Amino acid sequence: QQYPYADLWSLSWDFRFQNIIREIIDVAPDIVCLQEVQADHYESHLYNAMHDAGYEGVYKQKTRQAMGLTGKVDGCALFWRRTKFHLSESYSIEFNELAQRQVTQGMGLHARSEEGANLLNKLSKDNVAQLVVLELAQATRNDRLNNQVCIANTHLYSNKDCPDVKLWQTLHLLQELETFVMARGTNLPLMICGDFNSTPDSAVYDLLSRQTVHPGHPDVNIPEEHGPNVLPDAMNITHSHMLGSVYNAVLGEEPRYTNYTSQFRGVLDYMWYTTQNLRPLSAATVPDEGVILRHGEALPNTQYSSDHIMQISDMQIVSGGVRPP
């Protein structure tokens, strides 16, 4: 029992589904990024409810096929309001596939060699990311390039003892996004949303916010007993995206927590944006501890059916790519 403090009835899928849908619909967002969505729940409940509420969506299941019954594997779901956006492009990223490519093509190793197998075993954690390009529904043909936005949605590896794997996933996600944006030759606004399973003192946060990681950071200096080194030299852990964290930009700091359980309370979830062509106008504060504890010992509880707190922001596309002040 992962949440022994929660009333058993409040953990039933039917109750949680109604609560979560109510929370989403009350906010009335134009774009929704969800993680840890069970495949059969997406197909049987979530897609239909969101479609009825005016949304279209795409889903990407994690790549582990052998884990449990069909449909019980979770994944990422991304929705957009049909009256506001049209889908222009949709892709998915499998980190297992990127690991295979790096080991066999980038490093020239055979996947079944001892070194290759050890690297793949450490990196193949089944995590995925979604990538869509959305076009404003009212955009004219002439100004289409100024009315598109790229949204990435991901859920990184959860094991707290593997910060190097999360950093590897982040680096390769950013590299894939670099290639994607550059191939379009446009000033394409980009948001990267998700559960990064990484706190603000992590190398993952540094890489996203500063484009680099300090060589002395403990996340890039993992002891040998934790398995093979999967990271390049720290000088090569970099990217070209100029990214800001929505909450840090609007509120001056990250929230106190985005995940609130009896075992952990802290920030794991972020919304990142390209600072040269997007401007965050608002960010909804997270509920005070008093509000959370009014309904139970931690999350999930009878009021909030996820152990993560929804992050909400109003974003503005900056015309012409002028960097906001």
Side-chain angles (χ1 to χ4, degrees):
Q1 174 59 270
Q2 191 174 356
Y3 308 109
Y5 49 84
D7 294 324
L8 199 58
W9 60 266
S10 71
L11 297 177
S12 74
W13 168 239
D14 284 339
F15 178 83
R16 294 180 63 241
F17 168 69
Q18 296 298 335
N19 237 4
I20 289 168
I21 281 293
R22 173 188 53 77
E23 196 175 351
I24 293 172
I25 300 304
D26 282 354
V27 172
D30 292 325
I31 299 172
V32 183
C33 293
L34 302 173
Q35 304 83 38
E36 290 190 82
V37 177
Q38 199 166 292
D40 57 349
H41 290 168
Y42 176 83
E43 293 171 7
S44 64
H45 290 74
L46 187 60
Y47 176 82
N48 291 335
M50 292 295 286
H51 190 272
D52 289 347
Y55 295 88
E56 189 51 73
V58 290
Y59 179 76
K60 176 60 181 175
Q61 180 179 291
K62 283 184 179 177
T63 41
R64 56 184 182 218
Q65 297 296 332
M67 295 284 285
L69 299 171
T70 303
K72 301 304 180 185
V73 178
D74 68 289
C76 295
L78 199 160
F79 294 94
W80 57 93
R81 188 181 295 280
R82 293 194 302 270
T83 56
K84 191 69 174 284
F85 292 105
H86 294 151
L87 179 65
S88 179
E89 300 179 64
S90 177
Y91 304 95
S92 60
I93 295 170
E94 297 186 358
F95 291 105
N96 285 11
E97 186 182 315
L98 298 184
Q100 185 85 19
R101 189 195 310 167
Q102 175 178 315
V103 169
T104 58
Q105 299 177 22
M107 303 175 70
L109 298 173
H110 194 285
R112 294 186 179 177
S113 68
E114 183 178 1
E115 185 180 1
N118 286 340
L119 285 166
L120 285 174
N121 185 54
K122 184 166 183 177
L123 290 174
S124 299
K125 302 304 180 186
D126 307 316
N127 299 90
V128 297
Q130 297 176 288
L131 180 61
V132 300
V133 177
L134 300 175
E135 185 174 304
L136 287 170
Q138 70 271 26
T140 63
R141 184 176 298 273
N142 292 335
D143 65 0
R144 178 175 295 172
L145 293 182
N146 292 322
N147 285 281
Q148 289 185 329
V149 62
C150 180
I151 309 291
N153 179 31
T154 193
H155 183 193
L156 300 188
Y157 189 42
S158 60
N159 192 326
K160 64 181 176 57
D161 296 323
C162 298
D164 53 337
V165 174
K166 301 177 209 188
L167 182 59
W168 182 91
Q169 291 177 335
T170 304
L171 175 63
H172 282 262
L173 173 61
L174 290 166
Q175 289 175 345
E176 290 292 304
L177 292 172
E178 265 181 356
T179 302
F180 182 86
V181 172
M182 287 178 180
R184 274 134 196 85
T186 63
N187 189 39
L188 184 63
L190 169 67
M191 289 197 71
I192 311 172
C193 305
D195 179 355
F196 292 81
N197 274 308
S198 304
T199 53
D201 59 354
S202 66
V204 166
Y205 190 93
D206 285 352
L207 179 60
L208 285 158
S209 60
R210 302 177 186 171
Q211 300 177 290
T212 186
V213 175
H214 192 282
H217 197 291
D219 290 356
V220 297
N221 294 278
I222 302 296
E224 288 184 13
E225 58 263 29
H226 286 253
N229 175 40
V230 297
L231 296 170
D233 184 273
M235 298 296 290
N236 294 320
I237 301 176
T238 185
H239 63 93
S240 63
H241 303 286
M242 295 289 291
L243 299 173
S245 163
V246 167
Y247 271 67
N248 187 58
V250 174
L251 303 178
E253 60 184 1
E254 298 296 344
R256 287 178 58 196
Y257 41 76
T258 63
N259 181 224
Y260 195 104
T261 69
S262 60
Q263 292 83 32
F264 175 85
R265 294 168 190 182
V267 179
L268 300 176
D269 310 272
Y270 307 92
M271 295 187 290
W272 300 92
Y273 67 99
T274 44
T275 58
Q276 73 272 20
N277 44 31
L278 285 171
R279 177 188 285 124
L281 303 178
S282 68
T285 55
V286 301
D288 290 336
E289 280 188 290
V291 174
I292 292 173
L293 298 177
R294 193 182 305 153
H295 303 281
E297 182 183 321
L299 298 178
N301 57 36
T302 56
Q303 179 70 18
Y304 301 101
S305 286
S306 172
D307 60 350
H308 290 256
I309 294 165
M310 187 187 300
Q311 293 192 304
I312 309 163
S313 176
D314 290 304
M315 301 295 298
Q316 179 184 38
I317 298 175
V318 181
S319 180
V322 178
R323 183 165 184 160

